[in-house]
Amino acid sequence: MLRFKLLVFIAAFLVISNITLAQQPSIAQKVDALMKKMTLAEKIGQLNQVNGDWEATGPVTADVGNKLEQIKRGEIGSVLNIVGVNHTRAFQDAAMHSRLKIPLLFGQDVIHGYSITFPIPLGEAASWDIPAIERSARIAGTEAAAGGVHWTFAPMVDIARDPRWGRVMEGAGEDPYLGSQIARARVKGFQGNGLGSLDAIMACAKHYAAYGAAVGGRDYNSVDMSLHTLWEVYLPPFKAAEEAGAATFMNSFNSLNGTPATASSYLQRDVLKGKWGFKGFVVSDWNSIGEMVPHGYAKDNYQAAEFALKAGNDMDMESRSYINNLAKLVADKKVSVAMIDDAVRRILTKKFEMGLFDDPYRYSNADREKSVLNRPEHVAAARDIARKSIVLLKNQGQVLPLSKNLNSIALIGPLVKSKGEMKGFWSLDVGDVSQVVSLYEGMQQAAGNTKLLYVKGCDITDTSHAGFNEAYKTAMQADVVIMAMGERSDMTGEAKSRANIHIPGVQEELIQKIMSTGKPVVVLLMAGRPMVFNWTADHVPAILYTWWLGNQAGNAIADVLYGNYNPGAKLPMTFPRTEGQIPIYYNHYSTGRPPQNDNDVNYTSAYIDLPNSPKFAFGYGLSYSTFGYSNLKLSKKSIHNNEKITVSFDLKNTGKYAGEEVAQLYLRQLVSQPVRPVKELKGFEKVMLQPGETKTITFTIDKEKLSFYNDQLVWGAQPGEFKLMIGSASDDIRLEGGFELL
Ligand code: GLC
């Protein structure tokens, strides 16, 4: 009887709760109800985003009046570049004084960390460790959400093939497949268990689109490319971000084939909101609406606002074109209220999803801010991914790992004791820079009884050789020399294009001077981009590319130097021999006259004064171990439409250190119309192996992996023969096979 009564109770509860739930208005209904109350001016206010009173991340517009008063009048819907519980509360207070009390969205460039700074995104991409990359974004999102931030302007998913462009540091390099995997991971990391979770922030896929293909690598410059290349190379990571549920997109400063991206209805309405069905909202980049005027696309901000709204740009960052012109554009019947309503609906939907109407201050909680920031387990994760991002470019004569029994090590170079530089561009000042571990401090922790000798030797960019002799003498006293060389962290980032990407100043001369001592030398190269360093690459026995590794830089580098962590990272971007080779990337077309080897200039597509290969290839990176590839097997030699091929091979650690290898799968369709690249990354597996251990790795090839956008932009696979390549780098293929799509 009791059981029966229990069942009845449960059934009743479920029925009542379902009725209650059914009575709860949906978010769409809440948005509609709110919009019915809003005036046109209040709707337009929701489309207006302004910079806070702190650092500006773009050219500052003329005096724009009292923002708090504007917020109270409902003229501002979002503010960027204010962080911290107290500051965000103050701005949200102003919004709570507006007529309808519509909460503000707070946006911030949480690109690679909030209080704890992680490696720059290009560095993390070198880890090829998707779970670690997702965890890094998860921690950044958790910290940011505890600091009052609702929305990060990340991940930046721009494919970049030109290291002169400073923003390569912000993305995932040159490859669409790797870039898509990483875009997905970063969106999921930032958004965690979904919008509304107290530790989740809205992601923003940017810069839509093709920003990385700016002419000459000059930031903000124009982009001209076929739609075929746009779809094959530059859009895939954006599609991946959209599929992963990115809450927002940000369009880009560049024009694409003559139309500024912010004014591109093709990109924003046809593709993003149309073909891909994107339900979030699009924010312009900083003043990119207003920049239609200098582009020569709009005659004034009035026309720019018309073009932007019609093209599908929902929110106006910092140009004030919308707040100043949309009401008149409606009155002039240039734009419809319906178009404004669509943008407002998209934005309000996100504010509801974030729970801001339930509690506008829910992310601005002082206790949570105190308890969440800088947690030891998050610091440990920062160290972990920093180690995983370090690329071992060379280790001739096994100079590395260092012995713990050395008498002394000379630490030489302008970046040995740097802390702030380790954070790289697009890092925030939330965390205390004293928490950043310099190389020197990391070595102090790790070196045991080994004596550390330090001398700077030279500065990063100046031309003085005054410190060379002292550096030489110091090196002569040591068993091993470690040199920390590279850029200043503000030399790569936004508006930081470099025509000369050599190691700056006289640093490479100092490396030559120290090499003349005959001592074993390890060079650490710290930068936000691939640099050119041919002499160093050809003469120094051990080289690590450490990017900017963030808070745990010194510890991570020491872990690798001493072999506490065996490096396994791989380059996410090609390193050219010289600027003259740019653009150079691995997934290029064959051409009608492909060089047969590195020095073939006999009527081939080559330079007569340079080998054809890059200095270091996409996917390249060494380990203290070596790895053997064998026993390639394909389950079929040919497949029809929906069949699959299982590819397997054995991967063995043939060295004496446990270590990780990133085994890479490349495919090439031998004949197709239009032509296809000589190879394309279509899979990878990062595998930890003990010395002597063998694992069988498998990849599955299906029609999706063989499909591409043809010159009519139709996605599909063409029957034909395929070459299959498996290797340790794009230029280090270990196993080859073939199959046919019938
Ligand atoms: C900058 C950048 C963009 C950033 C925005 C806000 O100009 O282009 O990536 O998110 O402005 O800081």
Side-chain angles (χ1 to χ4, degrees):
M1 186 55 182
L2 179 62
R3 187 179 163 79
F4 175 73
K5 283 181 179 176
L6 185 61
L7 285 173
V8 168
F9 171 77
I10 290 170
F13 173 78
L14 288 173
V15 168
I16 291 165
S17 55
N18 273 323
I19 291 170
T20 315
L21 205 61
Q23 286 165 345
Q24 287 284 346
S26 69
I27 284 182
Q29 288 165 329
K30 291 176 184 173
V31 169
D32 287 344
L34 175 56
M35 288 182 67
K36 286 191 174 77
K37 300 174 189 168
M38 295 170 77
T39 63
L40 177 61
E42 288 166 331
K43 289 177 180 177
I44 293 169
Q46 287 301 307
L47 312 187
N48 183 31
Q49 179 187 58
V50 301
N51 194 47
D53 298 331
W54 291 353
E55 185 191 351
T57 46
V60 179
T61 351
D63 174 48
V64 286
N66 183 316
K67 294 167 193 170
L68 292 179
E69 289 309 314
Q70 290 161 16
I71 292 169
K72 288 175 185 172
R73 293 196 299 268
E75 296 167 7
I76 292 173
S78 172
V79 181
L80 72 147
N81 288 333
I82 57 167
V83 294
V85 163
N86 296 333
H87 208 82
T88 52
R89 290 190 82 93
F91 273 73
Q92 201 66 283
D93 281 345
M96 292 306 108
H97 285 83
S98 65
R99 185 176 76 88
L100 292 171
K101 299 181 177 16
I102 298 174
L104 294 170
L105 271 178
F106 297 124
Q108 182 64 41
D109 292 287
V110 183
I111 307 297
H112 54 110
Y114 176 73
S115 181
I116 301 168
T117 301
F118 285 78
I120 57 170
L122 189 62
E124 286 192 350
S127 74
W128 293 51
D129 188 324
I130 300 304
I133 291 169
E134 180 173 343
R135 175 152 168 71
S136 166
R138 184 81 293 273
I139 293 168
T142 300
E143 289 205 322
V149 175
H150 303 141
W151 175 24
T152 178
F153 303 126
M156 185 274 220
V157 302
D158 300 307
I159 294 292
R161 292 171 155 175
D162 190 333
R164 294 171 296 181
W165 187 50
R167 302 197 76 164
V168 295
M169 55 72 57
E170 209 175 332
E174 71 188 47
D175 181 69
Y177 182 87
L178 179 62
S180 298
Q181 302 282 328
I182 291 174
R184 203 171 282 120
R186 286 179 170 150
V187 168
K188 288 167 62 181
F190 288 126
Q191 299 188 166
N193 295 322
L195 304 190
S197 307
L198 270 180
D199 62 359
I201 57 177
M202 295 198 305
C204 180
K206 73 181 186 182
H207 304 80
Y208 187 61
Y211 182 27
V215 166
R218 288 193 295 277
D219 207 352
Y220 316 120
N221 214 293
S222 52
V223 171
D224 269 289
M225 70 173 62
S226 67
L227 293 182
H228 173 247
T229 297
L230 178 71
W231 279 90
E232 276 284 90
V233 179
Y234 291 86
L235 287 185
F238 287 102
K239 189 167 188 292
E242 198 285 326
E243 287 167 352
T248 67
F249 267 54
M250 180 187 291
N251 53 44
S252 55
F253 291 119
N254 57 286
S255 60
L256 175 61
N257 301 332
T259 300
T262 307
S264 172
S265 184
Y266 176 73
L267 285 175
Q268 296 171 107
R269 291 200 185 281
D270 299 350
V271 176
L272 180 61
K273 295 178 177 178
K275 193 173 179 68
W276 294 351
F278 176 63
K279 298 291 182 247
F281 68 85
V282 177
V283 64
S284 75
D285 202 341
W286 184 291
N287 189 39
S288 66
I289 295 177
E291 287 172 10
M292 284 188 217
V293 176
H295 266 294
Y297 191 80
K299 62 175 183 295
D300 54 26
N301 283 46
Y302 172 84
Q303 191 179 43
E306 174 192 357
F307 287 157
L309 187 72
K310 284 180 174 175
N313 180 95
D314 300 301
M315 185 182 279
D316 171 8
M317 179 190 288
E318 256 298 316
S319 87
R320 293 173 177 77
S321 304
Y322 278 5
I323 195 74
N324 293 339
N325 295 289
L326 280 185
K328 187 173 185 318
L329 282 162
V330 171
D332 297 348
K333 300 194 184 325
K334 298 270 190 180
V335 301
S336 66
V337 173
M339 204 171 272
I340 291 174
D341 283 353
D342 177 59
V344 175
R345 184 168 288 111
R346 289 170 179 268
I347 292 165
L348 292 179
T349 298
K350 292 302 165 206
K351 293 187 176 183
F352 274 106
E353 288 176 2
M354 289 295 288
L356 291 172
F357 282 94
D358 300 331
D359 175 5
Y361 301 97
R362 67 195 301 257
Y363 295 90
S364 303
N365 177 305
D367 293 340
R368 192 167 63 246
E369 184 178 47
K370 192 157 181 260
S371 72
V372 169
L373 300 194
N374 306 315
R375 282 180 175 162
E377 65 271 26
H378 292 166
V379 173
R383 180 170 182 166
D384 177 58
I385 194 163
R387 304 187 306 191
K388 290 177 173 177
S389 303
I390 296 170
V391 185
L392 178 61
L393 294 179
K394 198 175 170 187
N395 192 22
Q396 208 163 36
Q398 302 304 308
V399 172
L400 294 173
L402 298 174
S403 158
K404 284 274 190 176
N405 303 320
L406 294 170
N407 290 320
S408 62
I409 294 174
L411 296 169
I412 298 174
L415 290 164
V416 169
K417 292 198 169 182
S418 295
K419 284 170 146 331
E421 301 298 344
M422 298 302 116
K423 293 175 68 175
F425 204 87
W426 286 121
S427 54
L428 301 176
D429 294 330
V430 174
D432 183 340
V433 70
S434 68
Q435 297 304 305
V436 175
V437 181
S438 68
L439 169 68
Y440 190 75
E441 291 164 333
M443 289 302 286
Q444 283 180 311
Q445 295 288 328
N449 297 323
T450 301
K451 190 177 174 197
L452 298 178
L453 312 172
Y454 164 68
V455 64
K456 192 174 183 182
C458 69
D459 277 328
I460 293 173
T461 54
D462 81 2
T463 55
S464 165
H465 297 72
F468 277 35
N469 288 337
E470 184 195 7
Y472 182 90
K473 288 175 191 160
T474 304
M476 286 301 286
Q477 298 165 37
D479 298 324
V480 173
V481 182
I482 295 172
M483 302 184 78
M485 320 297 274
E487 294 183 317
R488 252 196 343 268
S489 60
D490 67 357
M491 295 177 78
T492 300
E494 182 177 354
K496 306 296 181 189
S497 300
R498 288 180 67 199
N500 167 342
I501 56 172
H502 286 61
I503 305 175
V506 295
Q507 296 182 64
E508 202 156 26
E509 291 175 59
L510 178 61
I511 294 171
Q512 292 177 23
K513 177 83 174 176
I514 298 305
M515 281 297 292
S516 70
T517 64
K519 296 286 184 179
V521 176
V522 179
V523 169
L524 308 174
L525 291 173
M526 302 176 171
R529 67 169 91 228
M531 293 189 291
V532 169
F533 48 96
N534 293 308
W535 191 92
T536 298
D538 294 341
H539 296 86
V540 172
I543 304 170
L544 290 167
Y545 217 81
T546 73
W547 316 101
W548 297 116
L549 292 171
N551 274 40
Q552 285 296 301
N555 286 334
I557 295 170
D559 287 342
V560 168
L561 288 171
Y562 279 104
N564 298 329
Y565 179 81
N566 180 0
K570 303 281 185 180
L571 296 177
M573 204 172 163
T574 301
F575 279 49
R577 295 174 181 275
T578 166
E579 295 83 358
Q581 267 190 324
I582 297 169
I584 182 169
Y585 43 89
Y586 88 94
N587 49 353
H588 59 79
Y589 294 129
S590 172
T591 79
R593 297 196 178 185
Q596 297 310 304
N597 57 56
D598 219 10
N599 301 299
D600 178 2
V601 290
N602 183 23
Y603 295 105
T604 60
S605 177
Y607 297 108
I608 59 171
D609 56 353
L610 203 61
N612 298 310
S613 58
K615 193 65 185 173
F616 296 102
F618 172 80
Y620 173 84
L622 300 177
S623 163
Y624 295 148
S625 253
T626 49
F627 296 94
Y629 290 65
S630 63
N631 199 17
L632 174 65
K633 290 177 186 166
L634 277 70
S635 61
K636 293 184 175 115
K637 288 299 282 178
S638 62
I639 52 171
H640 289 94
N641 260 347
N642 299 320
E643 293 180 312
K644 297 179 180 181
I645 295 178
T646 301
V647 179
S648 68
F649 64 97
D650 292 341
L651 184 64
K652 181 175 183 180
N653 181 338
T654 51
K656 60 180 184 176
Y657 294 94
E660 292 163 302
E661 167 70 329
V662 179
Q664 301 154 45
L665 167 69
Y666 294 94
L667 295 179
R668 175 183 186 178
Q669 179 152 20
L670 299 179
V671 176
S672 64
Q673 301 80 32
V675 296
R676 302 196 62 195
V678 295
K679 58 172 70 93
E680 293 176 284
L681 181 71
K682 291 294 182 183
F684 62 88
E685 187 87 20
K686 184 160 190 171
V687 188
M688 166 59 86
L689 291 169
Q690 297 304 317
E693 183 185 8
T694 298
K695 278 183 185 168
T696 299
I697 312 297
T698 56
F699 292 116
T700 300
I701 294 176
D702 57 10
K703 191 179 169 191
E704 188 67 12
K705 274 197 192 299
L706 307 180
S707 296
F708 68 114
Y709 290 100
N710 67 15
D711 47 5
Q712 303 307 311
L713 305 184
V714 175
W715 174 257
Q718 282 184 11
E721 290 187 52
F722 288 80
K723 182 179 178 186
L724 174 143
M725 297 157 271
I726 290 173
S728 184
S730 61
D731 68 343
D732 181 6
I733 300 302
R734 305 289 183 85
L735 300 169
E736 287 191 11
F739 61 89
E740 188 176 2
L741 174 66
L742 301 174

Short mmCIF file of all heavy atoms in Angstrom, two decimals, residues 352-378:
data_model
loop_
_atom_site.label_atom_id
_atom_site.label_comp_id
_atom_site.label_asym_id
_atom_site.label_seq_id
_atom_site.Cartn_x
_atom_site.Cartn_y
_atom_site.Cartn_z
N PHE A 352 19.33 36.91 -21.19
CA PHE A 352 18.46 36.00 -20.43
C PHE A 352 19.17 34.68 -20.18
O PHE A 352 19.16 34.14 -19.09
CB PHE A 352 17.14 35.75 -21.18
CG PHE A 352 16.07 36.78 -20.92
CD1 PHE A 352 15.74 37.72 -21.87
CD2 PHE A 352 15.42 36.82 -19.69
CE1 PHE A 352 14.77 38.69 -21.63
CE2 PHE A 352 14.42 37.77 -19.44
CZ PHE A 352 14.10 38.71 -20.40
N GLU A 353 19.82 34.17 -21.22
CA GLU A 353 20.51 32.86 -21.08
C GLU A 353 21.61 32.93 -20.02
O GLU A 353 21.89 31.97 -19.32
CB GLU A 353 21.11 32.43 -22.42
CG GLU A 353 20.06 31.98 -23.44
CD GLU A 353 20.67 31.65 -24.80
OE1 GLU A 353 21.92 31.73 -24.93
OE2 GLU A 353 19.92 31.31 -25.73
N MET A 354 22.20 34.12 -19.89
CA MET A 354 23.27 34.29 -18.88
C MET A 354 22.68 34.48 -17.49
O MET A 354 23.42 34.59 -16.51
CB MET A 354 24.14 35.49 -19.25
CG MET A 354 25.02 35.31 -20.47
SD MET A 354 26.29 34.06 -20.23
CE MET A 354 27.38 34.93 -19.10
N GLY A 355 21.36 34.53 -17.39
CA GLY A 355 20.72 34.67 -16.08
C GLY A 355 20.78 36.08 -15.54
O GLY A 355 20.52 36.32 -14.35
N LEU A 356 21.11 37.04 -16.37
CA LEU A 356 21.32 38.41 -15.89
C LEU A 356 20.02 39.10 -15.50
O LEU A 356 20.01 40.01 -14.68
CB LEU A 356 22.07 39.23 -16.95
CG LEU A 356 23.52 38.80 -17.16
CD1 LEU A 356 24.13 39.51 -18.36
CD2 LEU A 356 24.35 39.03 -15.91
N PHE A 357 18.90 38.65 -16.08
CA PHE A 357 17.64 39.27 -15.66
C PHE A 357 17.20 38.71 -14.32
O PHE A 357 16.50 39.36 -13.56
CB PHE A 357 16.54 39.04 -16.72
CG PHE A 357 16.66 39.94 -17.91
CD1 PHE A 357 17.33 39.53 -19.05
CD2 PHE A 357 16.13 41.23 -17.89
CE1 PHE A 357 17.46 40.37 -20.14
CE2 PHE A 357 16.25 42.07 -18.98
CZ PHE A 357 16.92 41.64 -20.11
N ASP A 358 17.62 37.48 -14.01
CA ASP A 358 17.31 36.92 -12.68
C ASP A 358 18.12 37.64 -11.62
O ASP A 358 17.63 37.98 -10.57
CB ASP A 358 17.64 35.41 -12.66
CG ASP A 358 16.84 34.65 -13.71
OD1 ASP A 358 15.72 35.10 -14.02
OD2 ASP A 358 17.36 33.65 -14.24
N ASP A 359 19.40 37.85 -11.93
CA ASP A 359 20.28 38.55 -10.98
C ASP A 359 21.39 39.24 -11.77
O ASP A 359 22.37 38.63 -12.15
CB ASP A 359 20.88 37.57 -9.97
CG ASP A 359 21.89 38.28 -9.06
OD1 ASP A 359 22.03 39.51 -9.18
OD2 ASP A 359 22.57 37.57 -8.29
N PRO A 360 21.25 40.54 -12.01
CA PRO A 360 22.24 41.27 -12.82
C PRO A 360 23.64 41.24 -12.22
O PRO A 360 24.63 41.50 -12.90
CB PRO A 360 21.70 42.70 -12.85
CG PRO A 360 20.24 42.57 -12.51
CD PRO A 360 20.15 41.40 -11.58
N TYR A 361 23.71 40.95 -10.90
CA TYR A 361 25.01 40.99 -10.22
C TYR A 361 25.57 39.59 -9.97
O TYR A 361 26.55 39.42 -9.25
CB TYR A 361 24.86 41.71 -8.87
CG TYR A 361 24.36 43.12 -8.98
CD1 TYR A 361 23.01 43.42 -8.81
CD2 TYR A 361 25.23 44.17 -9.30
CE1 TYR A 361 22.54 44.72 -8.93
CE2 TYR A 361 24.76 45.47 -9.41
CZ TYR A 361 23.42 45.75 -9.23
OH TYR A 361 22.94 47.03 -9.35
N ARG A 362 24.97 38.58 -10.61
CA ARG A 362 25.33 37.20 -10.24
C ARG A 362 26.79 36.88 -10.51
O ARG A 362 27.36 35.99 -9.90
CB ARG A 362 24.39 36.20 -10.92
CG ARG A 362 24.47 36.09 -12.42
CD ARG A 362 23.26 35.36 -12.98
NE ARG A 362 23.13 34.03 -12.44
CZ ARG A 362 23.47 32.92 -13.11
NH1 ARG A 362 23.99 33.01 -14.32
NH2 ARG A 362 23.33 31.73 -12.57
N TYR A 363 27.41 37.59 -11.46
CA TYR A 363 28.83 37.30 -11.73
C TYR A 363 29.73 38.25 -10.95
O TYR A 363 30.96 38.15 -11.03
CB TYR A 363 29.11 37.43 -13.23
CG TYR A 363 28.38 36.40 -14.05
CD1 TYR A 363 27.11 36.67 -14.55
CD2 TYR A 363 28.92 35.14 -14.27
CE1 TYR A 363 26.41 35.72 -15.27
CE2 TYR A 363 28.23 34.19 -15.00
CZ TYR A 363 26.97 34.48 -15.49
OH TYR A 363 26.26 33.53 -16.19
N SER A 364 29.15 39.18 -10.26
CA SER A 364 29.98 40.17 -9.53
C SER A 364 29.87 39.89 -8.04
O SER A 364 29.23 40.62 -7.29
CB SER A 364 29.47 41.58 -9.86
OG SER A 364 29.51 41.79 -11.25
N ASN A 365 30.51 38.80 -7.66
CA ASN A 365 30.41 38.34 -6.27
C ASN A 365 31.80 38.34 -5.65
O ASN A 365 32.68 37.58 -6.05
CB ASN A 365 29.81 36.92 -6.26
CG ASN A 365 29.74 36.34 -4.87
OD1 ASN A 365 30.76 36.28 -4.17
ND2 ASN A 365 28.54 35.94 -4.47
N ALA A 366 32.00 39.19 -4.67
CA ALA A 366 33.34 39.40 -4.09
C ALA A 366 33.89 38.13 -3.47
O ALA A 366 35.07 37.80 -3.62
CB ALA A 366 33.28 40.53 -3.07
N ASP A 367 33.04 37.36 -2.79
CA ASP A 367 33.52 36.13 -2.15
C ASP A 367 34.00 35.13 -3.19
O ASP A 367 35.05 34.50 -3.06
CB ASP A 367 32.40 35.50 -1.30
CG ASP A 367 32.06 36.38 -0.10
OD1 ASP A 367 32.93 37.22 0.26
OD2 ASP A 367 30.94 36.28 0.43
N ARG A 368 33.21 35.01 -4.26
CA ARG A 368 33.60 34.04 -5.29
C ARG A 368 34.87 34.50 -6.00
O ARG A 368 35.76 33.72 -6.31
CB ARG A 368 32.48 33.82 -6.30
CG ARG A 368 32.74 32.62 -7.19
CD ARG A 368 31.54 32.17 -7.99
NE ARG A 368 31.13 33.20 -8.92
CZ ARG A 368 29.97 33.84 -8.83
NH1 ARG A 368 29.13 33.55 -7.86
NH2 ARG A 368 29.67 34.77 -9.70
N GLU A 369 34.96 35.79 -6.24
CA GLU A 369 36.17 36.33 -6.89
C GLU A 369 37.39 35.96 -6.06
O GLU A 369 38.39 35.48 -6.57
CB GLU A 369 36.06 37.85 -7.03
CG GLU A 369 37.22 38.49 -7.77
CD GLU A 369 37.05 39.99 -7.92
OE1 GLU A 369 36.70 40.67 -6.93
OE2 GLU A 369 37.27 40.49 -9.05
N LYS A 370 37.27 36.11 -4.76
CA LYS A 370 38.41 35.84 -3.87
C LYS A 370 38.72 34.35 -3.86
O LYS A 370 39.87 33.93 -3.89
CB LYS A 370 38.02 36.31 -2.45
CG LYS A 370 39.18 36.36 -1.46
CD LYS A 370 38.87 37.33 -0.31
CE LYS A 370 40.05 37.39 0.67
NZ LYS A 370 39.83 36.57 1.87
N SER A 371 37.69 33.53 -3.90
CA SER A 371 37.96 32.08 -3.73
C SER A 371 38.38 31.41 -5.03
O SER A 371 39.01 30.36 -5.02
CB SER A 371 36.69 31.39 -3.21
OG SER A 371 35.72 31.34 -4.24
N VAL A 372 38.03 32.00 -6.17
CA VAL A 372 38.28 31.31 -7.44
C VAL A 372 39.62 31.67 -8.07
O VAL A 372 40.29 30.83 -8.67
CB VAL A 372 37.13 31.62 -8.44
CG1 VAL A 372 37.47 31.16 -9.85
CG2 VAL A 372 35.84 30.96 -7.96
N LEU A 373 40.00 32.92 -7.95
CA LEU A 373 41.22 33.36 -8.67
C LEU A 373 42.47 32.72 -8.11
O LEU A 373 42.61 32.54 -6.89
CB LEU A 373 41.34 34.89 -8.62
CG LEU A 373 40.20 35.71 -9.24
CD1 LEU A 373 40.64 37.16 -9.42
CD2 LEU A 373 39.74 35.11 -10.56
N ASN A 374 43.36 32.33 -9.03
CA ASN A 374 44.73 31.89 -8.67
C ASN A 374 44.76 30.62 -7.83
O ASN A 374 45.63 30.44 -6.98
CB ASN A 374 45.47 33.01 -7.93
CG ASN A 374 45.47 34.30 -8.72
OD1 ASN A 374 45.73 34.29 -9.93
ND2 ASN A 374 45.13 35.40 -8.07
N ARG A 375 43.81 29.73 -8.07
CA ARG A 375 43.81 28.46 -7.33
C ARG A 375 45.05 27.64 -7.68
O ARG A 375 45.46 27.61 -8.85
CB ARG A 375 42.56 27.66 -7.68
CG ARG A 375 41.31 28.15 -6.96
CD ARG A 375 40.11 27.33 -7.34
NE ARG A 375 38.92 27.71 -6.59
CZ ARG A 375 37.69 27.39 -6.97
NH1 ARG A 375 37.49 26.68 -8.07
NH2 ARG A 375 36.66 27.78 -6.26
N PRO A 376 45.65 26.96 -6.71
CA PRO A 376 46.86 26.17 -6.99
C PRO A 376 46.67 25.17 -8.13
O PRO A 376 47.56 24.99 -8.97
CB PRO A 376 47.12 25.46 -5.66
CG PRO A 376 46.44 26.33 -4.63
CD PRO A 376 45.26 26.92 -5.30
N GLU A 377 45.50 24.54 -8.19
CA GLU A 377 45.30 23.53 -9.25
C GLU A 377 45.24 24.19 -10.63
O GLU A 377 45.60 23.59 -11.64
CB GLU A 377 44.04 22.69 -9.00
CG GLU A 377 42.72 23.42 -9.06
CD GLU A 377 42.29 24.01 -7.71
OE1 GLU A 377 43.19 24.28 -6.89
OE2 GLU A 377 41.08 24.19 -7.52
N HIS A 378 44.83 25.45 -10.65
CA HIS A 378 44.82 26.17 -11.93
C HIS A 378 46.23 26.60 -12.31
O HIS A 378 46.61 26.60 -13.48
CB HIS A 378 43.88 27.37 -11.83
CG HIS A 378 42.44 26.99 -11.68
ND1 HIS A 378 41.47 27.89 -11.30
CD2 HIS A 378 41.80 25.80 -11.85
CE1 HIS A 378 40.29 27.26 -11.25
NE2 HIS A 378 40.48 26.00 -11.57
#
